[in-house]
Amino acid sequence: MKTIKRDFNRRSFIKSSAAITTGLIGLSGLQSLNARDHSSGNDLYVIGPIEGYSPQIGTLVSMLNYNRQTIINTVQSMTMQQLDHLHDPSANTIGALILHLGAVDKFYQINSFEGRPQFSDAEKKIWNAAMVLGEEGRKQIKGKEIKYYLDMIDEVRQKTLTEFKKKDDKWLLAVDQKWSKERKINTYWKWFHVCEHESNHRGQITWLQSRLPDAKPSKD
């Protein structure tokens, strides 16, 4: 009986995961994916090499694409009021969390492609509040429609994907000596972290959605 239960739970997880990406949102999710020119397109559930990238980088991109599309599907129908809703005085809004994804993407972009350890002054004006969140994020990140947030993070991601096409697996697997003072860190880890970071904040976003004043009771 235990084996049967585990198999059922695994199937339920896969089914619910697929629903997040396609079923519950309808076809609009995949349409937005194609509109934003993500390489995985019709193969969103295929993790592996993608044409135009070296094998390891393509595999990484397929994971980044999947995570990003689940974020888009989760938030794309939200209103400004919902995006700006503050669950409690210490919380981050959903809008701020979305922009935070772009800020982190931007940071690892300049770090791994340009070798810069921090934002320029011009970049700080755009991304600093989203990077640090907290009080700065609560003050500055509000009053925008969902299109603004999705366009902002997509612009950064498209630059990331363009730069990935110029690199190879040797670059991806190389240890970054500047970042390896306490332990070895390679470029692949940096972008794996971007991937897991988005998964983590997707969980926060869905939790905050379930606590919105107009949220429907959960079926889970």
Side-chain angles (χ1 to χ4, degrees):
M1 290 297 291
K2 291 182 179 179
T3 301
I4 293 174
K5 185 174 182 180
R6 283 198 297 270
D7 289 343
F8 174 77
N9 289 338
R10 190 178 299 113
R11 290 196 300 270
S12 298
F13 170 78
I14 293 171
K15 182 178 179 181
S16 62
S17 183
I20 291 173
T21 313
T22 54
L24 292 180
I25 307 300
L27 295 177
S28 59
L30 289 179
Q31 289 169 350
S32 67
L33 173 70
N34 293 329
R36 294 177 185 277
D37 196 32
H38 288 144
S39 302
S40 292
N42 296 325
D43 300 319
L44 199 62
Y45 293 98
V46 177
I47 300 299
I50 297 175
E51 184 177 354
Y53 302 92
S54 62
Q56 292 278 3
I57 292 178
T59 300
L60 171 66
V61 168
S62 70
M63 292 185 280
L64 289 168
N65 285 347
Y66 173 80
N67 263 1
R68 177 55 60 85
Q69 190 58 40
T70 61
I71 293 287
I72 292 169
N73 288 346
T74 299
V75 303
Q76 63 185 350
S77 62
M78 294 186 70
T79 65
M80 185 191 299
Q81 183 179 11
Q82 292 172 328
L83 292 166
D84 288 350
H85 178 73
L86 197 62
H87 178 69
D88 61 63
S90 299
N92 296 300
T93 65
I94 292 175
L97 289 174
I98 298 170
L99 207 59
H100 178 65
L101 303 181
V104 171
D105 198 334
K106 182 67 176 180
F107 172 78
Y108 281 98
Q109 182 186 104
I110 66 170
N111 176 274
S112 54
F113 300 131
E114 302 178 34
R116 289 195 280 128
Q118 59 187 11
F119 291 141
S120 66
D121 289 342
E123 290 164 341
K124 285 180 181 178
K125 291 179 181 179
I126 300 171
W127 295 109
N128 196 61
M131 177 61 85
V132 300
L133 294 175
E135 193 58 33
E136 286 301 305
R138 286 186 285 273
K139 287 179 180 178
Q140 297 185 36
I141 306 173
K142 55 187 174 181
K144 305 290 186 182
E145 300 287 354
I146 187 59
K147 184 179 184 300
Y148 167 82
Y149 295 104
L150 295 183
D151 285 348
M152 286 287 288
I153 66 173
D154 186 62
E155 182 178 354
V156 176
R157 179 55 55 86
Q158 291 306 317
K159 175 67 180 298
T160 293
L161 297 178
T162 296
E163 293 301 316
F164 273 145
K165 290 180 178 179
K166 303 174 185 177
K167 302 298 183 180
D168 58 21
D169 289 349
K170 183 179 179 180
W171 169 85
L172 185 69
L173 296 170
V175 172
D176 186 330
Q177 298 301 328
K178 291 182 180 180
W179 273 44
S180 299
K181 304 299 183 183
E182 297 180 8
R183 60 181 65 83
K184 288 185 178 180
I185 296 175
N186 67 354
T187 304
Y188 208 150
W189 178 87
K190 295 179 186 180
W191 289 97
F192 166 76
H193 177 60
V194 173
C195 199
E196 66 169 351
H197 174 262
E198 294 211 0
S199 293
N200 175 57
H201 285 302
R202 185 179 66 229
Q204 286 184 295
I205 288 169
T206 55
W207 188 89
L208 289 169
Q209 282 180 323
S210 71
R211 269 66 181 178
L212 290 171
D214 58 352
K216 295 180 180 179
S218 173
K219 295 181 180 179
D220 295 333

